[in-house]
């Protein structure tokens, strides 16, 4: 079993898509292992996306991610990291495969509904970021 971190982003919450997305996730055989609802501070969003600091989309991304509540979720499944990236779809909805979350629900490259960890190493870091008591996983 592997764990990955998903975030139902502020656009997902604002558009009342959280139920649909969790249904999608569960119907693809992921277990919703832990879930929170919170609003990121600017500092937290900057830390979470620090790898993108300096990119042209960084500031608007921070603004978007702090604009309202989001739902960080630990997902559990065999090969969870790659399996979740696959059902999530490409960052840009125009490049996302049919049937993926972003193809189905994203509005723009920024407002793309859901985050997913891109490697096992990052999944562990991102899980620890939102669920610091989950040290059993790291
Ligand atoms: N993003 C954006 N414009 C871009 C690329 C990314 O607004 O040109 C946003 C988008 O919300 C994306 C997030 O920044 O999900 C993080 O980018 P990353 O390249 O890590 O994409 P992801 O791993 O989420 O597919
Ligand atoms: Mg990423």
């Amino acid at each position: 079993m592997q764990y990955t971190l998903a975030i139902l982003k502020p656009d997902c919450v604002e558009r009342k898509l959280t139920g649909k997305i969790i249904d999608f996730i569960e119907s693809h055989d992921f277990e919703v292992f832990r879930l929170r609802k919170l609003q990121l501070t600017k500092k937290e969003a900057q830390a979470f996306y620090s790898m993108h600091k300096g990119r042209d989309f960084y500031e608007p991304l921070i603004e978007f991610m702090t604009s309202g509540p989001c739902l960080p979720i630990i997902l559990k499944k065999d090969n969870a990291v790659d399996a979740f990236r696959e059902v999530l779809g490409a960052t840009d909805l125009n490049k996302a495969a049919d049937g993926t979350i972003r193809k189905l629900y994203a509005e723009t490259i920024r407002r793309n509904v859901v985050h997913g960890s891109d490697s096992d190493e990052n999944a562990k870091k991102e899980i620890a970021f939102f669920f610091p008591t989950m040290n059993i996983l790291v």
Side-chain angles (χ1 to χ4, degrees), residues 9 49 52 57 61 85 91 102 109-110 112:
K9 296 186 181 187
Y49 281 117
H52 294 311
F57 62 84
L61 172 63
R85 287 295 294 202
T91 312
R102 285 166 168 175
I109 192 168
R110 177 169 311 114
N112 59 6

Side-chain angles (χ1 to χ4, degrees), residues 13-78:
V13 176
E14 189 187 308
R15 294 168 63 205
K16 302 196 191 300
L17 292 172
T18 57
K20 278 196 178 70
I21 299 297
I22 290 171
D23 184 42
F24 181 103
I25 289 170
E26 289 188 326
S27 72
H28 286 75
D29 262 351
F30 293 86
E31 179 186 335
V32 174
F33 187 73
R34 291 286 190 283
L35 178 150
R36 295 181 64 195
K37 183 174 185 179
L38 55 90
Q39 185 158 355
L40 285 168
T41 65
K42 193 170 177 181
K43 266 194 175 155
E44 287 168 338
Q46 286 171 334
F48 187 81
Y49 281 117
S50 60
M51 77 294 283
H52 294 311
K53 193 167 164 46
R55 306 284 296 275
D56 56 345
F57 62 84
Y58 179 72
E59 289 301 335
L61 172 63
I62 301 307
E63 182 133 330
F64 164 53
M65 289 301 294
T66 57
S67 66
C70 64
L71 272 68
I73 305 175
I74 301 178
L75 297 176
K76 181 179 176 184
K77 189 185 174 161
D78 280 331

